[in-house]
Each structure stands twice: as structure tokens, then as C-alpha cells.
Amino acid sequence: RRHRLKGHCEMRKILKSPGKYVQGAGILGEIDEYLQGMGRRLLILISRSGTKRICPTLDACFQGKDYELHYERFQGECSQTQIDRLTAFDVIVGLGGGKALDTAKAVAHYAALPAVIVPTVASTDSPCSSLSVVYLDNGEFDHYLFLNRCPDMVVVDTAVVAKAPVALLVAGMGDAMATYFEARACRASGSDNQTAG
């Protein structure tokens, strides 16, 4: 992103991104290799559909290795109630769509723990962002939670994402197109952004 220097016309160029980005088909089967040094007690926030599709892969990956896995079912909303109910371990791992990932990022933020994000769909830009959209328990928008940093690691198993419903891929294309127009408007206005803050 760009940020206008006060009193100057030139722009600073600032990159805000995850600490590490890992992508590949079947990568979830070796995710333990990328978690080394981050902690051994993992709180894995996962959706109902993700539990059926991904838990067997994770269980096989971590079998016989020095990790403790605690699966927590995502309840459907990234609400303050859901964020507050989750307890801290060593690492927060979020698997699923945008709301599940936003919840994992928020939990990691409040607990000051590393966040590892594993998107299972390509419908939003939530995986790499330093923002969580928080809702009320009834699904109404509540507030934006601006995080201190982007996730520590994003792991994209392309084989998993490729099996997601086509409608979610189309939604991701729409989100990317909307981001282009949002960025163009921000640049044209010369306004500050959160990156420089």
C-alpha cells in the first residue's frame, strides 16, 4: 500500500503481508513441517464441513509427533461471544472460510499468539489480511477489529480449495474485482491508510 508523507507529494511504499505463505496440492499432509518452532499445543478452529474433509488428513499428519491437537468447532459467526469463549494454546490454527478465519485471527490477536490460517475456499481476502470483521451473534455487523499484524503463516492446500463449490470461487473473483475499485478510489483520494499506522 501507499501512504502519503506529510508535507510531501511522494508516496511511501509499504508491504504488509503474512510472515510466511505456503501453497501446494496436498500441503496439509505435511503442515507439521511448517509449524516447527511455533509451539506444540494447537487450537484448531474448524468448520463442520472442514471437520469431515480435513480432520483425517491432519490426524494422519500429526500421528506419533510431538503435538497436541485441540479441535474446536466454528459456531458460524465471528462474534465477540465466540472469540471470547476460545482458550489459548500455543498456536491458533484457523481452517475454513472467511468468518472462521477472522475468528481465528481475532483469538490469536487477543491471546497474543501466532496465527496460522488455512483457507478451504477462495471466496475472500481474509486469509492474508490484518483485519477481522466481527458480527453480533444474530449475524448483524458489529465492528471491524484492526489487528496488529497479518497472520504469521498462511497455508493453502490447492487440492482442498479446488474441491470447494464453484459459487465460492466466483464470489472470490467478485471480491477481487471490488478490491481493485476500492484501491483505485483510495489512491485517487490521497488519503492515509492503516498500513502506515
Side-chain angles (χ1 to χ4, degrees), residues 45-197:
L45 182 66
I46 191 166
S47 63
R48 182 186 302 273
S49 62
T51 301
K52 297 175 184 175
R53 294 187 297 128
I54 297 172
C55 281
T57 300
L58 293 178
D59 289 339
C61 174
F62 287 103
Q63 185 173 10
K65 296 171 183 171
D66 191 27
Y67 285 95
E68 291 178 20
L69 306 187
H70 176 79
Y71 291 105
E72 187 69 41
R73 179 74 57 81
F74 175 60
Q75 301 296 317
E77 286 299 339
C78 178
S79 68
Q80 200 65 48
T81 303
Q82 297 305 318
I83 294 167
D84 292 341
R85 80 182 176 85
L86 297 172
T87 56
F89 282 58
D90 292 335
V91 182
I92 308 300
V93 181
L95 292 100
K99 288 187 176 183
L101 303 182
D102 277 2
T103 303
K105 290 188 297 182
V107 172
H109 170 78
Y110 285 121
L113 292 172
V116 175
I117 300 300
V118 184
T120 56
V121 296
S123 58
T124 73
D125 56 6
S126 173
C128 295
S129 74
S130 58
L131 172 75
S132 287
V133 183
V134 182
Y135 297 83
L136 299 175
D137 292 327
N138 64 6
E140 294 180 15
F141 172 78
D142 187 5
H143 66 277
Y144 292 114
L145 174 62
F146 294 98
L147 310 173
N148 295 332
R149 63 181 193 273
C150 295
D152 297 86
M153 181 162 39
V154 174
V155 179
V156 181
D157 191 323
T158 52
V160 171
V161 173
K163 292 177 183 175
V166 173
L168 295 176
L169 176 60
V170 174
M173 293 176 181
D175 187 68
M177 291 175 66
T179 301
Y180 166 76
F181 291 105
E182 291 168 356
R184 189 172 69 172
C186 289
R187 178 174 180 159
S189 71
S191 300
D192 290 348
N193 60 40
Q194 285 99 27
T195 307

